[in-house]
């Protein structure tokens, strides 16, 4: 009896946790959108500065700045180049979070390269329940599968134990 109650409690906890993935993905996407918008604004302003000073592109301006004799200017140019290179990764991540299915979103968010961003998003995250039917179904399926994965060894052990306690059946012909 206790095992059955515990099974239901474990399933309920897993279901509640699984329901948080779509909500977390939405918060994560919003965070990336804000960062993406700020980065696009920085690229736009850098493009205008490059044009004002006669450079054909931002990359040409950054390459020129990397050749500067001042180390602070070279370091700033390297940092800007790294940030500008992130834009493609951000676009890919936002696309996965917006159009991907439940497991694509989950894998993207918990990948090691995203731990820093995930920690920042988690600081402002508050649990809730998703409203889309697909999110609820994916969460339910995930909770069922995880629950089965957790409890299968116990139930197999119980079946083996039960079958050993029964006397063997003899067939008489």
């Amino acid at each position: 009896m206790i095992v059955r109650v515990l099974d239901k409690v474990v399933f309920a906890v897993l279901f509640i946790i699984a329901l948080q993935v779509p909500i977390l993905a939405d918060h994560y996407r919003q965070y990336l959108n804000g960062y993406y918008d700020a980065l696009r604004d920085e690229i736009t302003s850098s493009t205008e500065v490059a044009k004002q000073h006669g450079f054909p592109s931002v990359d040409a301006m950054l390459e020129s700045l990397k050749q500067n004799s001042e180390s602070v200017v070279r370091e700033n140019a390297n940092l800007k180049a790294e940030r500008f290179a992130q834009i493609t990764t951000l676009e890919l991540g936002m696309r996965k979070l917006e159009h991907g299915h439940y497991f694509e979103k989950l894998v993207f968010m918990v990948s090691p390269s995203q731990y820093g961003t995930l920690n920042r998003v988690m600081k402002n995250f508050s649990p809730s329940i998703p409203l889309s039917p697909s999110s609820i179904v994916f969460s339910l399926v995930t909770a069922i599968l995880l629950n089965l994965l957790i409890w299968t060894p116990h139930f197999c052990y119980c079946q083996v134990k039960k079958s050993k306690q029964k006397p063997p059946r003899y067939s008489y012909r």
Side-chain angles (χ1 to χ4, degrees), residues 5-168:
V5 170
L6 191 58
D7 175 42
K8 288 172 179 51
V9 169
V10 168
F11 172 75
V13 168
L14 289 172
F15 185 51
I16 290 169
I17 290 170
L19 282 170
Q20 300 314 301
V21 171
I23 302 298
L24 182 61
D26 189 46
H27 284 276
Y28 201 101
R29 184 182 51 78
Q30 290 174 4
Y31 177 87
L32 288 183
N33 276 338
Y35 185 65
Y36 179 80
D37 288 343
L39 195 56
R40 292 296 302 164
D41 289 346
E42 187 176 351
I43 290 172
T44 301
S45 64
S46 294
T47 303
E48 290 174 13
V49 168
K51 285 180 184 176
Q52 286 175 356
H53 294 281
F55 292 100
S57 68
V58 173
D59 292 331
M61 180 181 73
L62 291 176
E63 285 303 316
S64 174
L65 292 174
K66 288 177 186 178
Q67 306 304 320
N68 195 296
S69 61
E70 294 291 328
S71 64
V72 70
V73 174
R74 288 192 309 268
E75 189 173 330
N76 189 23
N78 286 329
L79 291 173
K80 275 190 184 239
E82 287 176 19
R83 258 198 324 275
F84 293 170
Q86 290 177 340
I87 200 119
T88 308
T89 307
L90 283 172
E91 288 170 345
L92 176 67
M94 290 183 332
R95 201 169 326 151
K96 279 184 183 178
L97 293 172
E98 192 164 340
H99 302 293
H101 60 73
Y102 182 91
F103 297 109
E104 282 179 323
K105 293 175 183 181
L106 180 62
V107 167
F108 174 76
M109 289 186 301
V110 298
S111 65
S113 64
Q114 298 297 320
Y115 284 159
T117 306
L118 183 60
N119 284 332
R120 288 189 296 275
V121 171
M122 289 296 289
K123 287 179 183 173
N124 295 319
F125 178 72
S126 58
S128 58
I129 296 176
L131 298 178
S132 72
S134 64
S135 296
I136 294 172
V137 169
F138 271 114
S139 299
L140 181 63
V141 169
T142 301
I144 289 170
L145 292 174
L146 288 173
N147 196 42
L148 285 173
L149 186 67
I150 291 170
W151 286 103
T152 297
H154 172 74
F155 291 132
C156 288
Y157 170 76
C158 290
Q159 283 299 107
V160 168
K161 187 177 172 184
K162 193 184 285 186
S163 67
K164 284 185 178 181
Q165 289 177 353
K166 287 185 180 179

Side-chain angles (χ1 to χ4, degrees), residues 168-173:
R169 291 178 130 182
Y170 298 105
S171 65
Y172 298 100
R173 288 187 181 205

